[in-house]
Amino acid sequence: MKAADSHEAMERMLSAYLDEELTQAEAQRVELHLQECASCRTALDEMRRIQQLTAQIPFHQPPDAALEAIEQRLSVQAPRRGGWALLVIGIAAWIVYGLVQVLRHPRWPTVPELIAAAVVIGLLLLFVSVLRQRLLERPHDRYRRVKR
Amino acid sequence: MAAIEAAVAQVSRVEEEAEFTELFAQYRLRAYHYALQMLGNPDDALEVTQEAFLRLHRHWRRRDSTRPFAPWMYSVVRNLAIDLLRKRASRRECEIEAAPEAAPVASPEQDAERRQFSERLWREIARLPEAQREVLLLRDWHGLSYAEIAEATGASLTTVNSRLHDARSRLRERLRRYL
Ligand SMILES: [Zn+2]
């Protein structure tokens, strides 16, 4: 370790010293310097005071109802996503199953099979249209404001 | 088989949802206050808080669970607030400056002198260059470590360190006679 660290170098480390973000060796160097430098002691005290007072600045609290509304939206988002996932998996499974059946036993489909196919295709179309709408709305929706 | 898998997935989803709800309860005020400190307007702060948590929620299942939640949350709030500030600037709706509206509210525990100093301190913090202000608030108001601040803001540790030093030097200069 060098004999004397410069005041300038030590002064620049005070802020990190205050936050206990220095290595042990660095902190020791700062402490040695603090013992003999009144100006750095004052600086450290002032920074500490600013830190404590900043932590105590009180800010406006949001209304509980507003936070609850956010929670509400979060809980709506969850099952909906689960529902979409199941729907996509279900549709994919139906399509694969149908294709396999047709390839293995080529024949005219029965009435129930035709109905099932109609349902699957219908869901697929709905899904695609919702997806498209979501993508189109995205840039506008993102910054939509609550009020004003 | 598929039904069992779906049921298992559903259970783990429910657990993850519970975990997220807990984090929301724990962090929602911090997110709101950080947005408020950046934007200066309670309505905007609420909007950003909502959007941030919806976004965090959307990415929740794909997150890197080894990383702590706080820096991620702060970075999402920060990005949304910056987008909003930019948008506001381009619309010239109002000036970008840490709006005094966000400033200290009267708190019953504070005596008059304390309150006055709070207001003065906030005015000086609001006048800091944006990069210094955000680091100071994340450290001294929100209590984040340098590593967490670096992660939340995308700056290096060295930058975080020097911005804090600069912010504090400036505040000392401006507030010395009141300290
Ligand atoms: Zn010194």
Side-chain angles (χ1 to χ4, degrees), chain B residues 32-92:
Chain B
Y32 171 80
H33 280 128
Y34 186 43
L36 181 63
Q37 288 157 0
M38 285 188 80
L39 296 163
N41 172 308
D43 287 342
D44 287 345
L46 267 179
E47 171 64 10
V48 162
T49 305
Q50 164 162 313
E51 188 53 40
F53 276 99
L54 287 174
R55 195 172 285 195
L56 290 162
H57 191 224
R58 248 177 264 135
H59 297 284
W60 181 239
R61 291 169 63 77
R62 278 166 287 144
R63 75 195 183 281
D64 178 353
S65 54
T66 59
R67 298 171 94 176
F69 183 72
W72 181 33
M73 186 275 299
Y74 278 104
S75 77
V76 172
V77 171
R78 178 178 184 269
N79 289 337
L80 288 167
I82 289 174
D83 283 349
L84 195 57
L85 284 172
R86 261 189 216 135
K87 226 193 143 203
R88 252 198 223 163
S90 68
R91 282 209 308 249
R92 298 200 181 177

Side-chain angles (χ1 to χ4, degrees), chain B residues 112-163:
Chain B
E113 198 187 336
R114 240 344 197 346
R115 185 183 317 151
Q116 228 178 17
F117 186 82
S118 253
E119 281 162 12
R120 182 167 289 138
L121 176 58
W122 175 250
R123 265 204 306 279
E124 292 303 337
I125 291 173
R127 267 201 232 159
L128 291 172
E130 220 170 289
Q132 290 179 21
R133 183 174 73 225
E134 99 176 334
V135 170
L136 183 95
L137 285 169
L138 286 175
R139 172 62 221 152
D140 287 353
W141 205 88
H142 294 268
L144 264 56
S145 71
Y146 287 15
E148 288 172 323
I149 298 173
E151 190 163 341
T153 61
S156 70
L157 275 178
T158 323
T159 307
V160 169
N161 193 348
S162 74
R163 279 178 188 163

